[in-house]
Amino acid sequence: MGLSRTIYGILGHRLNLKVFIAASAALGVATYLVGALFPVILLVGVVALRQLMHATRRDTAQR
């Protein structure tokens, strides 16, 4: 939801507020449902993100 506020802050003059709020709410509900019903997907995503972060740190440290 914080990301949607940032996007609206930057692009608010071009967006319809009611449509943007409805889309943000639907995306938030979908995200919570995926997290509640399919926690393995979130776990895989977190593990992949950690691996990516560690690989990036190793590459940076070697330079």
PDB file of all heavy atoms in Angstrom, residues 1-10 20 24 27:
ATOM      1  N   MET A   1       0.822  -1.186   0.000  1.00  0.00           N
ATOM      2  CA  MET A   1       0.000   0.000   0.000  1.00  0.00           C
ATOM      3  C   MET A   1       0.869   1.254   0.000  1.00  0.00           C
ATOM      4  O   MET A   1       0.468   2.268  -0.552  1.00  0.00           O
ATOM      5  CB  MET A   1      -0.942  -0.014   1.186  1.00  0.00           C
ATOM      6  CG  MET A   1      -1.972  -1.138   1.098  1.00  0.00           C
ATOM      7  SD  MET A   1      -3.249  -1.028   2.324  1.00  0.00           S
ATOM      8  CE  MET A   1      -4.325   0.114   1.505  1.00  0.00           C
ATOM      9  N   GLY A   2       2.027   1.166   0.591  1.00  0.00           N
ATOM     10  CA  GLY A   2       2.931   2.305   0.565  1.00  0.00           C
ATOM     11  C   GLY A   2       3.408   2.613  -0.842  1.00  0.00           C
ATOM     12  O   GLY A   2       3.559   3.778  -1.220  1.00  0.00           O
ATOM     13  N   LEU A   3       3.633   1.571  -1.616  1.00  0.00           N
ATOM     14  CA  LEU A   3       4.046   1.766  -3.011  1.00  0.00           C
ATOM     15  C   LEU A   3       2.944   2.461  -3.807  1.00  0.00           C
ATOM     16  O   LEU A   3       3.232   3.339  -4.622  1.00  0.00           O
ATOM     17  CB  LEU A   3       4.402   0.421  -3.647  1.00  0.00           C
ATOM     18  CG  LEU A   3       4.872   0.466  -5.089  1.00  0.00           C
ATOM     19  CD1 LEU A   3       6.139   1.302  -5.212  1.00  0.00           C
ATOM     20  CD2 LEU A   3       5.125  -0.936  -5.600  1.00  0.00           C
ATOM     21  N   SER A   4       1.693   2.093  -3.559  1.00  0.00           N
ATOM     22  CA  SER A   4       0.601   2.748  -4.291  1.00  0.00           C
ATOM     23  C   SER A   4       0.499   4.228  -3.925  1.00  0.00           C
ATOM     24  O   SER A   4       0.209   5.059  -4.783  1.00  0.00           O
ATOM     25  CB  SER A   4      -0.725   2.033  -4.029  1.00  0.00           C
ATOM     26  OG  SER A   4      -1.104   2.149  -2.678  1.00  0.00           O
ATOM     27  N   ARG A   5       0.775   4.563  -2.686  1.00  0.00           N
ATOM     28  CA  ARG A   5       0.748   5.978  -2.293  1.00  0.00           C
ATOM     29  C   ARG A   5       1.878   6.751  -2.979  1.00  0.00           C
ATOM     30  O   ARG A   5       1.701   7.894  -3.391  1.00  0.00           O
ATOM     31  CB  ARG A   5       0.872   6.108  -0.777  1.00  0.00           C
ATOM     32  CG  ARG A   5      -0.327   5.514  -0.059  1.00  0.00           C
ATOM     33  CD  ARG A   5      -0.211   5.700   1.395  1.00  0.00           C
ATOM     34  NE  ARG A   5      -0.722   7.032   1.710  1.00  0.00           N
ATOM     35  CZ  ARG A   5      -0.801   7.522   2.913  1.00  0.00           C
ATOM     36  NH1 ARG A   5      -0.380   6.826   3.933  1.00  0.00           N
ATOM     37  NH2 ARG A   5      -1.287   8.723   3.110  1.00  0.00           N
ATOM     38  N   THR A   6       3.020   6.112  -3.110  1.00  0.00           N
ATOM     39  CA  THR A   6       4.143   6.752  -3.794  1.00  0.00           C
ATOM     40  C   THR A   6       3.825   6.970  -5.264  1.00  0.00           C
ATOM     41  O   THR A   6       4.075   8.048  -5.811  1.00  0.00           O
ATOM     42  CB  THR A   6       5.414   5.887  -3.654  1.00  0.00           C
ATOM     43  OG1 THR A   6       5.691   5.714  -2.268  1.00  0.00           O
ATOM     44  CG2 THR A   6       6.590   6.535  -4.349  1.00  0.00           C
ATOM     45  N   ILE A   7       3.272   5.946  -5.899  1.00  0.00           N
ATOM     46  CA  ILE A   7       2.908   6.059  -7.313  1.00  0.00           C
ATOM     47  C   ILE A   7       1.880   7.162  -7.507  1.00  0.00           C
ATOM     48  O   ILE A   7       2.000   7.982  -8.416  1.00  0.00           O
ATOM     49  CB  ILE A   7       2.396   4.717  -7.850  1.00  0.00           C
ATOM     50  CG1 ILE A   7       3.523   3.701  -7.900  1.00  0.00           C
ATOM     51  CG2 ILE A   7       1.763   4.884  -9.232  1.00  0.00           C
ATOM     52  CD1 ILE A   7       3.075   2.290  -8.192  1.00  0.00           C
ATOM     53  N   TYR A   8       0.879   7.198  -6.645  1.00  0.00           N
ATOM     54  CA  TYR A   8      -0.134   8.237  -6.787  1.00  0.00           C
ATOM     55  C   TYR A   8       0.451   9.623  -6.516  1.00  0.00           C
ATOM     56  O   TYR A   8       0.058  10.603  -7.143  1.00  0.00           O
ATOM     57  CB  TYR A   8      -1.332   7.988  -5.874  1.00  0.00           C
ATOM     58  CG  TYR A   8      -2.470   8.912  -6.203  1.00  0.00           C
ATOM     59  CD1 TYR A   8      -3.267   8.683  -7.311  1.00  0.00           C
ATOM     60  CD2 TYR A   8      -2.723  10.046  -5.441  1.00  0.00           C
ATOM     61  CE1 TYR A   8      -4.288   9.549  -7.653  1.00  0.00           C
ATOM     62  CE2 TYR A   8      -3.741  10.911  -5.772  1.00  0.00           C
ATOM     63  CZ  TYR A   8      -4.518  10.663  -6.880  1.00  0.00           C
ATOM     64  OH  TYR A   8      -5.526  11.519  -7.208  1.00  0.00           O
ATOM     65  N   GLY A   9       1.399   9.701  -5.591  1.00  0.00           N
ATOM     66  CA  GLY A   9       2.039  10.986  -5.321  1.00  0.00           C
ATOM     67  C   GLY A   9       2.806  11.509  -6.522  1.00  0.00           C
ATOM     68  O   GLY A   9       2.826  12.704  -6.785  1.00  0.00           O
ATOM     69  N   ILE A  10       3.411  10.602  -7.271  1.00  0.00           N
ATOM     70  CA  ILE A  10       4.189  11.004  -8.435  1.00  0.00           C
ATOM     71  C   ILE A  10       3.302  11.234  -9.653  1.00  0.00           C
ATOM     72  O   ILE A  10       3.458  12.212 -10.388  1.00  0.00           O
ATOM     73  CB  ILE A  10       5.265   9.948  -8.755  1.00  0.00           C
ATOM     74  CG1 ILE A  10       6.288   9.898  -7.611  1.00  0.00           C
ATOM     75  CG2 ILE A  10       5.960  10.239 -10.075  1.00  0.00           C
ATOM     76  CD1 ILE A  10       7.247   8.740  -7.705  1.00  0.00           C
ATOM     77  N   PHE A  20      -7.933   4.240  -9.106  1.00  0.00           N
ATOM     78  CA  PHE A  20      -6.641   3.894  -8.520  1.00  0.00           C
ATOM     79  C   PHE A  20      -6.813   3.273  -7.139  1.00  0.00           C
ATOM     80  O   PHE A  20      -6.158   2.277  -6.816  1.00  0.00           O
ATOM     81  CB  PHE A  20      -5.752   5.132  -8.446  1.00  0.00           C
ATOM     82  CG  PHE A  20      -4.345   4.817  -8.061  1.00  0.00           C
ATOM     83  CD1 PHE A  20      -3.475   4.262  -8.979  1.00  0.00           C
ATOM     84  CD2 PHE A  20      -3.890   5.067  -6.780  1.00  0.00           C
ATOM     85  CE1 PHE A  20      -2.169   3.957  -8.632  1.00  0.00           C
ATOM     86  CE2 PHE A  20      -2.596   4.773  -6.426  1.00  0.00           C
ATOM     87  CZ  PHE A  20      -1.733   4.214  -7.351  1.00  0.00           C
ATOM     88  N   SER A  24      -5.781  -0.531  -6.176  1.00  0.00           N
ATOM     89  CA  SER A  24      -4.846  -0.753  -5.079  1.00  0.00           C
ATOM     90  C   SER A  24      -5.446  -1.687  -4.026  1.00  0.00           C
ATOM     91  O   SER A  24      -4.761  -2.577  -3.513  1.00  0.00           O
ATOM     92  CB  SER A  24      -4.463   0.569  -4.418  1.00  0.00           C
ATOM     93  OG  SER A  24      -3.788   1.391  -5.314  1.00  0.00           O
ATOM     94  N   LEU A  27      -5.517  -5.260  -5.443  1.00  0.00           N
ATOM     95  CA  LEU A  27      -4.179  -5.840  -5.433  1.00  0.00           C
ATOM     96  C   LEU A  27      -3.759  -6.218  -4.013  1.00  0.00           C
ATOM     97  O   LEU A  27      -3.145  -7.263  -3.799  1.00  0.00           O
ATOM     98  CB  LEU A  27      -3.179  -4.859  -6.038  1.00  0.00           C
ATOM     99  CG  LEU A  27      -1.775  -5.375  -6.241  1.00  0.00           C
ATOM    100  CD1 LEU A  27      -1.765  -6.585  -7.174  1.00  0.00           C
ATOM    101  CD2 LEU A  27      -0.900  -4.277  -6.819  1.00  0.00           C
TER     102      LEU A  27
END
